[in-house]
Amino acid sequence: MDIQEKLNAKYDNIAIYTSGFYADPEDELGTRSKLSETLKSFTMNQHADTPFSLQIMTTNGEINVMPLGLLSLDELKAYETKRREQAGLTTDDDAIPLVVQFAPHTEKGQIQKQIVGTTQNLFDNFNTHFAAIWTVVKADLQANQTLLVGIERDLISDSADIQREYQDNFKLMDAPTRKVKLGFDLKDTDLTHFSTFMADMHEIQAIVLSSAAFVKNELLGDDLFAQVMNDKVSRNTLFWVLDNTFYETLYYFIEKYRDIANGKKLTRHLHHQKKLLIINMRNDAYQRAQAAVEDATTKLDMDKYFSDIFVPIAEQLAREVDQFQN
C-alpha cells in the first residue's frame, strides 16, 4: 500500500485530531512556546499516523501544520508520483510528509506550502524536527506581519486624501458655521490637527465595519447571536476577529506616527499600552456579547457592537499620539 492509499484508508470516516491557537504578533516567543507545547502533547498522546491539523490563526491569515494530503489527496498523489520518479518504484518508504501551509486572508494572497520532513520525524526526534518546523512557521509569521503593515500603509495613504478633504471643507466655513456643525469652536490654527484626527477615525471606521461585515456574513448569517456564542468554533472565530481588529487599529497608529520627531518613543509607548488595552477590549467585548445573549428580544447590531468597542480605543490611541506631538 503506497502512502496515498494509506492516507485514504486512514482518513475515511475517521475523526481528525485538531488543535489551534492565536499568534499574538507582539509575542513571537509565546507563539513558539505554544507551538512546541501543542506538538509535544500530540506526540505524547497520539501516533505518527494519526490524522491531525494544528491551526495557528494570525492577524491576516492562518498557518496549518498537518500531514500532506489532509486537505487534498491530489497533493499527496503528485508528491508520491514525483518521489517514485526520483527514488524508483521499489521504494517502500510509506512515511507521510509533514507540511506547513500559510493561507493569507487577503484578496490576492497566495497559499504557500513547504514540506518539512515527515510525521514520523516529529515522533522520532522531536527537538530537531520542531526546530525545522519553527523555522518555516517563523518565516510565515513574518510574511503575515508584512501583510498587516502593507494594509496599514494603504489606509494611511488614503487618510492623507481624507485629511485634505476635511481640511478644505472646514476652511470654507466661517467660525460660527463650524461651531454649529461640530458643536464646539474650532480655531483656524487647529484645522490641520482636527482634520487629521477625523481622517484617522475615518480609517478606523473602515477597519471596524470590515470586521463587522465579516462576522455578519461568515458567522452570523440568519442565525441568532446566541447561536454564535454557544458554538465553540464560531465563538472562537468571533474573538479572533476582535483580536485582529484590535491589532489593525493599534498598528494603524504605530505605522502612521512612527516617523514623527518622537516616533521611537511613541512606538515603544504604544506597544507598552497594548497589554492593558487588549485585556480591556476582550473584557468589554465579552460583557457586551453576554448582554446581547441575555437580551433575546433585540437583534444585535454588529456594526454598533464593533464601533462601540473600537472607536473609544482609537480615540485613546489618538490621545496618546497627541502627547508625543505636543
Side-chain angles (χ1 to χ4, degrees), residues 48-249:
D49 57 0
T50 300
F52 78 95
S53 177
L54 167 59
Q55 184 181 54
I56 306 171
M57 301 305 297
T58 67
T59 54
N60 295 95
E62 59 187 276
I63 300 169
N64 281 278
V65 181
M66 58 191 173
L68 183 68
L70 184 70
L71 301 181
S72 172
L73 286 172
D74 288 339
E75 294 177 343
L76 194 60
K77 182 178 180 180
Y79 171 85
E80 175 73 358
T81 299
K82 183 177 180 180
R83 186 176 69 91
R84 288 189 171 187
E85 289 174 352
Q86 295 173 343
L89 295 175
T90 58
T91 179
D92 59 358
D93 180 13
D94 63 354
I96 299 172
L98 186 68
V99 66
V100 177
Q101 173 179 295
F102 174 48
H105 292 172
T106 55
E107 185 177 353
K108 298 181 180 179
Q110 297 293 318
I111 293 177
Q112 303 170 28
K113 301 175 185 178
Q114 186 167 335
I115 293 175
V116 188
T118 68
T119 55
Q120 191 63 51
N121 295 146
L122 187 63
F123 280 75
D124 291 343
N125 194 340
F126 181 84
N127 290 338
T128 299
H129 203 58
F130 172 76
I133 293 171
W134 172 245
T135 297
V136 179
V137 170
K138 183 178 179 180
D140 289 340
L141 290 171
Q142 291 169 345
N144 174 79
Q145 189 69 8
T146 299
L147 286 175
L148 174 60
V149 171
I151 290 171
E152 303 296 4
R153 289 178 179 170
D154 287 343
L155 292 170
I156 292 165
S157 177
D158 182 66
S159 74
D161 295 332
I162 299 298
Q163 186 270 335
R164 283 191 293 269
E165 290 180 18
Y166 274 120
Q167 187 161 359
D168 290 344
N169 287 334
F170 290 141
K171 283 182 177 179
L172 294 175
M173 304 177 193
D174 57 21
T177 303
R178 285 201 294 261
K179 184 172 183 179
V180 171
K181 293 285 187 180
L182 299 173
F184 58 88
D185 289 319
L186 179 62
K187 300 177 182 178
D188 289 345
T189 53
D190 293 331
L191 286 181
T192 299
H193 177 267
F194 185 70
S195 59
T196 299
F197 168 78
M198 292 293 290
D200 287 343
M201 293 304 106
H202 175 90
E203 300 305 329
I204 296 304
Q205 195 67 13
I207 293 172
V208 167
L209 294 181
S210 176
S211 296
F214 175 86
V215 172
K216 285 187 288 186
N217 296 329
E218 302 298 330
L219 292 182
L220 201 54
D222 296 327
D223 294 337
L224 296 173
F225 184 69
Q227 291 174 274
V228 173
M229 290 298 291
N230 288 332
D231 179 79
K232 181 180 179 181
V233 173
S234 296
R235 184 175 64 251
N236 287 345
T237 303
L238 170 64
F239 281 90
W240 167 68
V241 175
L242 287 163
D243 273 12
N244 283 354
T245 309
F246 174 84
Y247 282 113
E248 285 193 40
T249 301

